[in-house]
């Protein structure tokens, strides 16, 4: 960086020297080319010269020099060029270890609040993930190759400009430069804030205003969960990520997702809780299935986003002419295209990528809608009788749901629990005839019980009911089961809430019920 900046802004490229050997005489090495181009591109993005250096002289069989250790301890950012030789090189691994040790001790990015070391993993040549150094296991990689899983081979992107220009190489280079630029600016901002705090300790109020302004500046954008996808749509995902970041938005996940099912669900859930909405790219492949799970990472991310409820928007995009390669991927695609989600909290597109970008930008510009307030006694004002059907085993679980509906002014009717079987069944039929709407709570009961209740709804006209029901819905409560996940019904609304009862889960149902009742008057 410029002389006035702290040495912590320096960037060190750690690499195995064999990866910089040119393939023919008179050519430049791969790492040397990366160094030159990264320096130029960073300077363009920062508006000032970037200080990037690498060890040009020391070889792997040299003694690890104290001078190099000291210099690495003053480095702010490390770029590791990962390759088969890198992971076998004691020299390279020691450079990485020394940097991580000093970065954590000196209050680097990992100490600034986001638990991330300022390390960028440039993967020059394919290395299986389990073989990556432990310090790089959770770091997002910039892969300069394309991997063919069917052939088990990887082809590196060409850095040459002539005779052909591989746009994928330049896109990875630009992604790397842009992400490093963001980190440098954040580190500089944090350093300036620390200096201001030291200089202005006598004026607490002024210090607080400066900190507030800095926080507002860093949080001006929105946070988007851009779901990990399969390799056939990797380039499209990178494009979306790049444009979001260039407009100042935060893109999650910012680390590699775990391959253990439980850890993955926890990580994705945490990311989604911090996001304003999610974007899911669905391609021709089903993708990786985590350990201990039957569904792919792509499938799980979509389901976890759906569990946030109808107020959380999930955008699903598929390319035109998509041809899934597996039966389970075809089933997933069909589920989106058939529209089983009733449009609640989801937008499904099968269009050009530009249409997806337009929808994302429109979503980013939307002002948050005020929280719905169904507590305005809609039921009392409209005279709505709601029959809340549940099994005896779920009477305790359904109590919070029934209490909430009653507090909204609805007249809630529960199934009879006393009397002989014939009396209970007659009361059940009478409730189906007299009520305005039906909500079936499906919790601990089995699948056959639910099917019986659905068939009874289909026969309600035969019981003597003349008017159609205003609304029908199935409330899927805990425990979560495969049978519940398979439920599909075009005429009945599905409400998923496997956790603790949340009033938000009922907002769409109550709004629909209110509109339907209002249309009768």
């Amino acid at each position: 960086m410029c002389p006035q900046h702290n040495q912590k802004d320096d960037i060190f490229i750690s690499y195995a020297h064999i990866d910089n050997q040119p393939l023919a005489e008179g050519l430049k090495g791969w790492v040397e080319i990366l160094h030159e181009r990264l320096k130029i591109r960073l300077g363009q993005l920062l508006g000032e010269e970037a200080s990037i250096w690498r060890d040009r002289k020391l070889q792997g069989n040299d003694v690890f020099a104290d001078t190099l250790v000291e210099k690495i301890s003053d480095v702010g950012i490390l770029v590791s060029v990962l390759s088969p030789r890198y992971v076998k090189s004691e020299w390279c691994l020691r450079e990485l270890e020394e940097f991580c040790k000093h970065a954590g001790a000196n209050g680097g990015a990992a100490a600034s609040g986001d638990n991330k070391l300022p390390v960028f993993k440039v993967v020059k040549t394919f290395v299986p993930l389990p073989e990556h150094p432990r310090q790089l296991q959770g770091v997002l990689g910039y892969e300069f190759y394309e991997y063919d899983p069917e052939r088990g081979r990887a082809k590196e992107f060409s850095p040459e400009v002539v005779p052909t220009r591989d746009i994928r190489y330049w896109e990875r280079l630009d992604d790397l430069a842009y992400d490093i630029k963001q980190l440098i600016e954040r580190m500089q901002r944090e350093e300036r804030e620390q200096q201001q705090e030291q200089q202005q300790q006598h004026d607490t109020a002024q210090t607080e205003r400066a900190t507030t302004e800095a926080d507002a500046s860093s949080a001006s954008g929105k946070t988007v969960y851009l779901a990990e996808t399969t390799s056939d749509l990797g380039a499209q995902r990178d494009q979306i990520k790049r444009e979001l970041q260039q407009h100042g938005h935060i893109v999650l996940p910012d680390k590699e997702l775990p391959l253990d099912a439980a850890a993955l669900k926890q990580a994705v859930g945490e990311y989604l809780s911090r996001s304003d909405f999610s974007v899911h790219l669905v391609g021709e492949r089903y993708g990786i299935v985590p350990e201990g799970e039957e569904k792919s990472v792509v499938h799980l991310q979509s389901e976890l986003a759906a569990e946030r409820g109808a107020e959380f928007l999930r955008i699903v995009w598929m390319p035109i002419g998509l041809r899934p390669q597996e039966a389970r991927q075809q089933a997933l695609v069909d589920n989106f295209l058939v529209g089983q989600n009733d449009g609640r909290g989801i937008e499904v597109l099968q269009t050009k990528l530009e249409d997806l970008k337009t929808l994302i930008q429109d979503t980013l510009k939307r002002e948050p809608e005020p929280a719905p307030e169904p507590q305005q006694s809609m039921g009392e004002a409209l005279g709505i009788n709601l029959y809340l059907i549940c099994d005896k085993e779920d009477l305790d679980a359904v109590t919070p749901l029934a209490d909430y509906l009653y507090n909204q002014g609805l007249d809630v009717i529960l199934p009879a629990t006393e009397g002989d079987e014939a009396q209970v069944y007659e009361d059940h039929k009478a409730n189906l005839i007299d009520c305005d709407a039906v909500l079936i709570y499906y919790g601990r009961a089995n699948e056959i019980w639910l099917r019986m209740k659905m068939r009874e709804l289909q026969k309600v006209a035969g019981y003597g009911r003349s008017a159609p029901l205003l609304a029908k819905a199935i409330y899927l409560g805990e425990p979560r089961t495969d049978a519940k996940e398979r439920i599909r019904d075009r005429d009945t609304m599905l409400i998923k809430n496997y956790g603790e009862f949340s009033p938000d889960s009922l907002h769409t149902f109550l709004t629909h019920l209110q509109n339907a009742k209002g249309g009768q008057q």
Side-chain angles (χ1 to χ4, degrees), residues 29-298:
W30 194 93
V31 179
E32 183 179 359
I33 293 174
L34 176 73
H35 186 159
E36 291 178 354
R37 291 173 177 171
L38 183 60
K39 184 180 180 70
I40 294 171
R41 185 62 181 131
L42 260 179
Q44 293 171 343
L45 292 173
L46 291 166
E48 56 185 347
E49 184 177 358
S51 174
I52 306 178
W53 62 281
R54 71 181 195 275
D55 164 32
R56 303 172 186 266
K57 298 178 182 179
L58 295 175
Q59 299 298 321
N61 58 359
D62 291 335
V63 176
F64 196 78
D66 291 339
T67 54
L68 184 57
V69 174
E70 292 175 3
K71 196 162 186 179
I72 288 179
S73 68
D74 284 328
V75 168
I77 296 172
L78 181 74
V79 176
S80 289
V81 181
L82 208 62
S83 68
R85 176 57 186 161
Y86 189 98
V87 299
K88 296 176 182 178
S89 168
E90 180 181 353
W91 188 268
C92 296
L93 296 179
R94 195 165 177 189
E95 285 179 345
L96 176 61
E97 182 179 359
E98 288 293 330
F99 174 81
C100 292
K101 179 173 67 175
H102 288 285
N106 293 340
S112 65
D114 62 1
N115 296 319
K116 292 193 300 179
L117 283 168
V119 179
F120 291 83
K121 181 170 62 176
V122 171
V123 190
K124 174 186 180 293
T125 310
F126 172 73
V127 178
L129 182 60
E131 297 179 18
H132 289 202
R134 59 178 177 78
Q135 298 93 337
L136 302 180
Q137 284 289 338
V139 177
L140 286 177
Y142 302 82
E143 298 172 349
F144 282 78
Y145 64 85
E146 180 180 31
Y147 185 74
D148 184 347
E150 295 182 0
R151 299 177 62 195
R153 295 180 59 183
K155 182 178 180 181
E156 294 182 16
F157 300 152
S158 172
E160 303 301 327
V161 179
V162 291
T164 58
R165 183 172 182 267
D166 192 336
I167 187 62
R168 297 171 299 179
Y169 172 90
W170 298 92
E171 287 178 341
R172 291 294 186 279
L173 178 68
D174 201 57
D175 289 343
L176 175 64
Y178 196 90
D179 289 347
I180 292 177
K181 172 250 188 188
Q182 285 190 315
L183 179 57
I184 287 175
E185 290 180 339
R186 194 188 74 188
M187 293 169 72
Q188 291 175 349
R189 183 173 63 248
E190 290 175 351
E191 182 185 347
R192 289 195 300 269
E193 291 172 2
Q194 290 175 1
Q195 292 174 350
Q196 289 173 358
E197 185 176 356
Q198 292 172 357
Q199 295 171 3
Q200 300 174 0
Q201 289 181 353
H202 65 282
D203 190 345
T204 304
Q206 187 174 354
T207 302
E208 290 177 353
R209 284 196 299 271
T211 304
T212 302
E213 292 171 1
D215 289 345
S217 172
S218 63
S220 57
K222 290 190 176 182
T223 300
V224 180
Y225 184 86
L226 181 57
E228 295 287 358
T229 187
T230 46
S231 57
D232 54 311
L233 293 181
Q236 290 89 332
R237 183 185 183 278
D238 288 343
Q239 233 184 101
I240 299 295
K241 175 185 175 183
R242 192 178 305 118
E243 294 184 13
L244 285 168
Q245 290 179 331
Q246 288 173 355
H247 285 86
H249 303 291
I250 299 172
V251 179
L252 298 175
D254 54 4
K255 295 181 182 178
E256 288 182 341
L257 293 177
L259 293 182
D260 172 75
L264 182 140
K265 291 178 181 179
Q266 181 178 357
V268 172
E270 194 275 332
Y271 285 131
L272 287 168
S273 69
R274 293 158 49 193
S275 303
D276 294 294
F277 62 95
S278 64
V279 179
H280 306 258
L281 279 62
V282 179
E284 60 186 17
R285 300 171 183 169
Y286 191 63
I288 297 173
V289 176
E291 296 177 5
E293 180 56 60
E294 297 180 355
K295 299 174 182 176
S296 70
V297 172
V298 173

Side-chain angles (χ1 to χ4, degrees), residues 389-455:
I389 302 173
C390 68
D391 188 71
K392 287 183 179 180
E393 293 186 26
D394 289 317
L395 282 173
D396 290 339
V398 84
T399 299
L401 177 63
D403 290 345
Y404 176 77
L405 292 169
Y406 179 79
N407 290 334
Q408 306 316 302
L410 280 77
D411 186 5
V412 181
I413 307 167
L414 288 170
T417 57
E418 297 180 356
D420 60 36
E421 186 175 342
Q423 291 174 324
V424 169
Y425 184 66
E426 287 301 318
D427 180 75
H428 173 64
K429 288 200 301 182
N431 289 335
L432 289 174
I433 295 171
D434 297 336
C435 70
D436 296 307
V438 169
L439 179 61
I440 301 175
Y441 183 91
Y442 180 24
R444 297 187 183 90
N446 60 38
E447 189 175 5
I448 297 300
W449 177 87
L450 176 67
R451 292 190 179 188
M452 290 176 56
K453 299 308 172 187
M454 294 300 295
R455 291 192 185 101

